[in-house]
């Protein structure tokens, strides 16, 4: 494949066979006998159709990344009867209707990250054995035409224009759902119905004001809802298998609502308005507490009373809180004395070899 998309030339020159160029021939004379052909696509790479020409028909995986591909049709994907995975990241694809020619029986992985897709074609529903679908960084507004993907395990819609979580209830095998960077303003009733096997839910950078309607997610292990509009930790009572909770960059003022989340190992409440570390002493599996850039201003003794009994606790971040800013000299030493022998790291710095 010839990569000429960065060339400043808009034409290509073909020298007539057998023609000799004299070193002293002037420019006008040298052009005689040459055929100058206009390049119809000076800003594009080799034609899309050429990208798959040399691939054997029994190819199982195709990766064509950042090649300015505009058309699925031109790739002649119907040829590849044993295809299992197709990665077309960072191209210029707008329509995905052509996925209907992919082999339904073998195809399991479709990656269309960073294209120009606005609409999920109904033909996507024909890929009944699909396990991984990545449509992140596109222009999609509605979740639809994926309800028959019963084998789907990983679904990525990061950085689109989605405002509502819907049409997912039939995806019983879904384990990972990523919806960060969209326009979601509420977790609506029934949004997560049928997703009892979901293990990871990523909702950062939306506009969600309240944690509600999460009860169906009995097996959820990771919940990330950073950079939203939360004012309270709530609605997690049924999430008894939750292991990691990320709620940084919200408007939280208190640590609460974690009574039933006894499997938590990670709690990230960075950049909120928390004034006290509290209501976590029952979290016996907790290893990490990230609480930088809040308003924590309590005695080291009370901090020790809350965290000192957690035998698996290893890492704490309190940088940018009054408890650190007002005690810069003795801060690390007092934390070490207060938090017990399991502590290994304070604000990204290890304290023991």
């Amino acid at each position: 494949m010839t990569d000429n998309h960065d060339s400043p030339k808009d034409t290509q020159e073909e020298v007539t066979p057998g023609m000799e160029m004299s070193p002293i021939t002037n420019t006008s004379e040298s052009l005689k006998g040459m055929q100058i052909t206009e390049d119809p696509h000076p800003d594009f790479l080799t034609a899309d159709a050429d990208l798959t020409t040399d691939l054997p028909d029994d190819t199982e995986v195709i990766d064509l990344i950042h090649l300015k591909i505009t058309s699925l049709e031109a790739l002649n994907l119907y040829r590849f009867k044993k295809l299992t995975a197709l990665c077309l990241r960072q191209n210029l694809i707008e329509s995905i209707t052509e996925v209907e020619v992919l082999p339904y029986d073998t195809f399991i992985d479709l990656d269309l990250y960073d294209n120009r897709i606005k609409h999920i074609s109904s033909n996507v529903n024909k890929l009944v054995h699909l396990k991984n679908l990545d449509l992140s960084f596109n222009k999609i507004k509605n979740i639809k035409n994926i309800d028959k993907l019963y084998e789907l395990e990983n679904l990525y819609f990061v950085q689109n224009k989605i405002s509502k979580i819907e049409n997912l209830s039939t995806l019983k095998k879904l384990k990972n759902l990523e919806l960060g960077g969209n326009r979601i303003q509420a977790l609506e009733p029934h949004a997560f119905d049928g997703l009892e096997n979901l293990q990871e839910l990523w909702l950062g950078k939306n506009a969600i004001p309240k944690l509600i309607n999460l009860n169906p997610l009995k097996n959820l292990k990771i919940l990330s809802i950073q950079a939203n509009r939360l004012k309270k930790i709530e609605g997690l009572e049924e999430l008894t298998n939750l292991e990691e909770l990320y709620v940084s960059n919200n408007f939280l003022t208190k640590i609460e609502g974690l009574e039933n989340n006894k499997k938590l190992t990670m709690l990230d409440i960075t950049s909120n308005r928390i004034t006290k570390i509290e209501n976590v002493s029952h979290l016996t599996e907790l290893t990490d507490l990230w609480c930088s850039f809040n308003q924590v201003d309590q005695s080291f003794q009370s901090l020790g009373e809350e965290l000192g009994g957690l035998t698996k606790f290893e890492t704490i971040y309190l940088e940018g809180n009054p408890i650190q800013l007002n005690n810069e000299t003795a801060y690390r030493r007092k934390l070490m004395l207060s938090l017990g022998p399991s502590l290994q790291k304070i604000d990204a710095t290890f304290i023991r070899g």
Side-chain angles (χ1 to χ4, degrees):
M1 182 179 70
T2 301
D3 187 344
N4 60 10
H5 67 293
D6 291 325
S7 172
K9 298 180 181 179
D10 290 331
T11 63
Q12 58 184 33
E13 300 177 351
E14 296 180 5
V15 180
T16 303
M19 182 176 112
E20 289 187 10
M21 296 293 294
S22 169
I24 60 173
T25 304
N26 64 35
T27 304
S28 60
E29 289 178 340
S30 70
L31 289 175
K32 295 177 181 178
M34 283 187 176
Q35 180 181 354
I36 300 176
T37 305
E38 290 286 336
D39 183 351
H41 302 293
D43 298 326
F44 289 83
L45 293 169
T46 303
D48 295 352
D50 295 340
L51 296 171
T52 58
T53 300
D54 295 333
L55 296 178
D57 289 351
D58 61 354
T59 296
E60 295 183 3
V61 177
I62 295 177
D63 285 325
L64 298 171
I65 300 172
H66 197 53
L67 294 171
K68 297 187 177 180
I69 297 168
T70 60
S71 168
L72 284 181
E73 288 79 1
L75 298 176
N76 297 320
L77 296 172
Y78 64 85
R79 288 177 44 220
F80 307 104
K81 304 301 183 183
K82 296 183 179 181
L83 198 65
T84 63
L86 177 63
C87 179
L88 298 172
R89 286 186 162 220
Q90 296 176 304
N91 284 292
L92 305 174
I93 297 164
E94 296 184 6
S95 171
I96 55 175
T97 304
E98 185 69 3
V99 298
E100 68 175 341
V101 305
L102 297 172
Y104 306 154
D105 292 339
T106 62
F107 195 75
I108 61 172
D109 194 330
L110 180 59
D111 188 340
L112 292 164
Y113 176 105
D114 194 7
N115 277 276
R116 297 180 176 180
I117 301 163
K118 296 180 179 180
H119 169 72
I120 303 174
S121 168
S122 59
N123 288 337
V124 173
N125 251 337
K126 297 178 181 179
L127 305 175
V128 293
H129 293 290
L130 202 64
K131 290 187 176 181
N132 306 300
L133 176 59
D134 194 341
L135 290 167
S136 298
F137 287 84
N138 279 284
K139 301 178 180 181
I140 296 167
K141 293 184 178 180
N142 302 107
I143 300 174
K144 61 181 180 179
N145 293 327
I146 60 171
D147 54 293
K148 292 182 172 59
L149 304 181
Y150 305 130
E151 301 296 318
L152 201 63
E153 295 180 2
N154 297 290
L155 179 58
Y156 307 92
F157 280 120
V158 179
Q159 205 69 39
N160 275 279
K161 299 180 179 182
I162 295 167
S163 59
K164 184 178 181 180
I165 303 173
E166 58 185 341
N167 300 321
L168 299 175
S169 62
T170 57
L171 307 183
K172 304 295 184 183
K173 295 186 179 181
L174 197 64
K175 295 179 180 178
N176 180 24
L177 175 60
E178 300 205 12
L179 284 161
N182 277 280
R183 300 176 179 180
I184 301 167
Q185 297 185 14
L187 302 180
E188 300 188 19
H190 312 298
F192 302 110
D193 284 2
L195 301 184
E196 57 269 11
N197 289 311
L198 195 69
Q199 296 182 11
E200 301 183 19
L201 177 59
W202 304 84
L203 293 167
K205 294 185 179 180
N206 279 285
I208 300 167
K210 194 171 185 179
L211 284 171
I212 53 174
N213 300 317
L214 296 169
N215 288 353
L217 306 178
K218 308 291 186 185
N219 290 296
L220 197 68
K221 293 183 178 180
I222 300 176
L223 174 58
S224 175
I225 190 163
Q226 306 175 65
N228 276 270
R229 298 176 181 176
L230 302 181
K231 295 182 179 180
K232 186 176 183 180
I233 301 175
E234 59 186 334
L236 305 179
E237 296 82 9
E238 299 295 324
L239 277 57
T240 55
N241 288 301
L242 196 64
E243 297 177 3
E244 300 179 21
L245 178 61
Y246 301 90
V247 288
S248 64
N249 293 281
N250 279 284
F251 302 94
L252 305 172
T253 58
K254 185 177 182 179
I255 302 175
E256 59 186 331
L258 302 175
E259 292 78 14
N260 294 349
N261 311 113
K262 297 179 181 180
K263 293 184 179 181
L264 270 183
T265 62
M266 155 67 74
L267 177 58
D268 178 9
I269 49 175
T270 304
S271 297
N272 279 282
R273 301 171 181 176
I274 305 294
T275 58
K276 184 179 181 181
I277 304 300
E278 58 185 335
N279 300 321
V280 295
S281 60
H282 65 292
L283 302 177
T284 56
E285 300 296 317
L286 195 67
T287 63
D288 287 68
L289 177 59
W290 299 357
C291 193
S292 298
F293 306 108
N294 276 277
Q295 299 170 19
V296 175
D297 190 11
Q298 67 192 103
S299 69
F300 288 93
Q301 179 181 348
S302 67
L303 192 62
E305 291 171 354
E306 189 66 29
L307 299 174
L310 303 179
T311 60
K312 298 182 180 180
F313 192 70
E314 298 177 351
T315 302
I316 190 166
Y317 285 79
L318 285 170
E319 179 185 7
N321 284 276
I323 193 173
Q324 180 259 329
L325 298 172
N326 298 335
N327 299 277
E328 291 192 18
T329 304
Y331 163 71
R332 290 176 58 82
R333 179 177 59 83
K334 289 185 177 181
L335 279 182
M336 291 171 61
L337 292 172
S338 301
L339 300 188
S342 64
L343 189 66
Q344 296 182 16
K345 190 188 295 184
I346 298 173
D347 298 337
T349 304
F350 284 98
I351 61 174
R352 293 183 175 88

